[in-house]
């Protein structure tokens, strides 16, 4: 176990970054886990200030970087870094730079899991339509991660405990395919 949890911020024009920052502000003091936020740092800093959360983080440079919360903006496919540097945001909903950044963050987090650099990857929502407009064959995050892991069979499971520490585990039988 590395003690690291990676969080792919999802679509930076969506709710993922806000939910992530609020969750970290509320829960990160509960244990000594290190968190690696994967996505554009500039948008996070602005959001942190707007929400008044006062979260502190450092830029990730390597696995030995000290700090509880670290932020890494992955390069991804050509143009991702340039698009993110060209604008600190906010990015319009469904924009190509936001979709590219979401894919780059998802792939970066998955590769870190596969290399054993992090113990888990938490994924924030992405905009499937924006990703597909890039020309990417994308059904969903579960399928994307399955492909990267070269898994033949995968499933999504949701779990959580109630106030009496009883665990509920729900495994989905089908994947989500929008009808519209």
């Amino acid at each position: 176990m590395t003690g690291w949890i990676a969080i792919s911020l999802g679509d930076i024009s969506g709710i993922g970054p806000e939910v992530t920052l609020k969750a970290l502000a509320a829960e990160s003091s509960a244990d000594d886990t290190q968190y690696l936020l994967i996505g554009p740092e500039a948008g996070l800093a602005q959001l942190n200030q707007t929400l008044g959360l006062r979260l502190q983080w450092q830029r990730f440079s390597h696995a030995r970087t000290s700090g509880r919360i670290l932020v890494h903006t992955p390069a991804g496919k050509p143009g991702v870094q340039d698009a993110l540097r060209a604008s600190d945001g906010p990015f319009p909903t469904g924009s190509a730079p936001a979709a590219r950044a979401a894919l780059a963050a998802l792939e970066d987090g998955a590769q870190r899991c596969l290399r054993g650099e992090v113990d888990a990857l938490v994924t924030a929502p992405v905009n499937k339509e924006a990703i597909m407009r890039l020309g990417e064959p994308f059904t969903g995050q579960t399928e994307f991660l399955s492909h990267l892991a070269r898994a033949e069979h995968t499933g999504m499971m949701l779990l959580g405990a109630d106030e009496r520490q009883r665990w509920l585990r729900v495994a989905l039988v089908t994947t989500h395919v929008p009808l519209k």
Side-chain angles (χ1 to χ4, degrees), residues 84-100:
L84 294 174
R85 274 196 282 278
S87 171
D88 289 342
F91 290 88
T93 301
S95 71
R100 283 189 191 95

Side-chain angles (χ1 to χ4, degrees), residues 6-8 10 106 121-125 141 145:
I7 304 173
S8 168
L106 189 59
L121 173 64
V122 176
T123 62
Q141 293 185 84
L145 295 171

Side-chain angles (χ1 to χ4, degrees), residues 85-160:
R85 274 196 282 278
S87 171
D88 289 342
F91 290 88
T93 301
S95 71
R100 283 189 191 95
L103 271 181
L106 189 59
E107 184 167 359
D108 185 273
Q111 295 299 340
R112 289 177 190 282
C113 280
L114 291 170
R115 292 190 302 262
E117 295 172 14
V118 297
D119 294 328
L121 173 64
V122 176
T123 62
V126 298
N127 184 325
K128 290 179 186 180
E129 184 179 322
I131 292 171
M132 289 186 281
R133 277 198 308 268
L134 296 174
E136 297 288 337
F138 190 84
T139 306
Q141 293 185 84
T142 304
E143 295 80 7
F144 185 82
L145 295 171
S146 297
H147 174 75
L148 289 176
R150 295 184 175 96
E152 289 184 35
H153 304 288
T154 56
M156 181 189 310
M157 183 171 79
L158 311 168
L159 61 106

Side-chain angles (χ1 to χ4, degrees), residues 128 132 174-180:
K128 290 179 186 180
M132 289 186 281
T174 62
T175 57
H176 171 73
V177 178
L179 298 176
K180 183 176 175 184

